[in-house]
Amino acid sequence: MPRCHCEATNRHFTPARARQDLVTYQRRGPTGTARLILQGLRDVSLAADTVLDVGAGIGVLHHELLERGVQRAVHLEVASAYLEAAQEETARRGHQHRVHFHRGDITSLAPELASADLVTLDRVLCCSPDLEALIEVSARKAKRYFALSYPHDYWYVRGRVRLQNARRRWTGDPFRFFVHPVHRIRSLIRAAGFQVRRARWNLNWEVVICTRDAM
């Protein structure tokens, strides 16, 4: 399987899904792990001027953060349909001059991207087979804060994911969902120089808000 998993991800996250996610966000605001990340950032009294939103989807996190004091955002997304939906919402909010968009994978585009006070990865680790590279490269771009969400590695999550991936294999969908060991994720975060300051969770997902050790 390719290290990036990029083309499979682009095909999986279709224009119809992007449109539905955008409509839901416009009606209900942040939900799920995005809401948990925003709550966690509030808990640590986020003080950031810039955010690099990796695997940003329709841009929920930076749409909200730009309303809460962040000055500039970089939106990085593999799925072209989601990038286009995010650009539409950015224009609707009048934030065109505050957001820069890039299509691609951070492990490939890292040399082109500046560091940011805050780096976010919401539901991104589960789309990559290369956990180590994704965390290491993303963490190097984070000056102060690092926020991530990922699925619990509980038996019932793994069982459901195995069934979903088997169905995709039968239907010819190359996209795969990955449940990485949480202890390994936490170890990589520490090795990158961050400490977990807040953790939030629901039935299927965990969110961690991390700060650099020197803070």
Side-chain angles (χ1 to χ4, degrees):
M1 183 176 295
R3 170 174 159 174
C4 171
H5 203 218
C6 295
E7 184 53 36
T9 301
N10 183 47
R11 289 173 56 185
H12 181 76
F13 290 98
T14 62
R17 292 186 63 166
R19 175 57 48 185
Q20 184 56 55
D21 284 355
L22 181 58
V23 169
T24 299
Y25 171 55
Q26 290 173 342
R27 290 176 177 172
R28 299 175 55 193
T31 59
T33 51
R35 177 182 292 176
L36 294 179
I37 286 175
L38 292 165
Q39 290 172 344
L41 293 172
R42 181 195 60 203
D43 290 346
V44 299
S45 301
L46 176 70
D49 289 329
T50 55
V51 58
L52 170 57
D53 197 356
V54 178
I58 62 168
V60 171
L61 291 178
H62 67 73
H63 295 321
E64 297 296 317
L65 291 168
L66 288 172
E67 302 284 355
R68 303 183 187 191
V70 171
Q71 298 302 306
R72 299 183 308 281
V74 172
H75 178 115
L76 181 61
E77 174 57 53
V78 167
S80 57
Y82 276 71
L83 187 69
E84 291 168 6
Q87 290 172 325
E88 176 185 325
E89 180 65 10
T90 297
R92 190 182 75 85
R93 290 169 173 261
H95 292 162
Q96 302 96 311
H97 303 299
R98 299 171 64 189
V99 184
H100 293 280
F101 293 91
H102 297 269
R103 180 171 181 258
D105 173 67
I106 191 168
T107 58
S108 301
L109 296 182
E112 304 175 25
L113 302 172
S115 297
D117 296 323
L118 164 66
V119 172
T120 59
L121 296 94
D122 185 19
R123 301 195 181 203
V124 178
L125 302 187
C126 55
C127 296
S128 174
D130 196 343
L131 175 70
E132 286 76 9
L134 181 54
I135 290 182
E136 290 168 6
V137 172
S138 300
R140 283 200 297 270
K141 294 295 181 181
K143 296 178 183 178
R144 305 185 67 193
Y145 305 93
F146 195 36
L148 311 89
S149 68
Y150 42 81
H152 296 302
D153 57 353
Y154 298 152
W155 65 269
Y156 61 86
V157 176
R158 289 189 174 278
R160 184 169 64 250
V161 167
R162 279 195 291 269
L163 289 174
Q164 292 171 344
N165 284 340
R167 184 167 61 249
R168 294 184 184 110
R169 189 161 48 248
W170 295 333
T171 60
D173 181 354
F175 179 78
R176 298 292 181 268
F177 191 97
F178 302 91
V179 181
H180 299 290
V182 170
H183 69 86
R184 181 60 179 153
I185 295 172
R186 293 285 193 115
S187 175
L188 289 166
I189 289 171
R190 290 192 298 271
F194 284 89
Q195 292 185 6
V196 174
R197 299 298 184 185
R198 291 290 187 279
R200 290 175 172 265
W201 53 86
N202 57 28
L203 185 63
N204 297 311
W205 297 85
E206 180 173 77
V207 162
V208 289
I209 310 298
C210 314
T211 59
R212 281 215 174 269
D213 293 341
M215 291 183 65

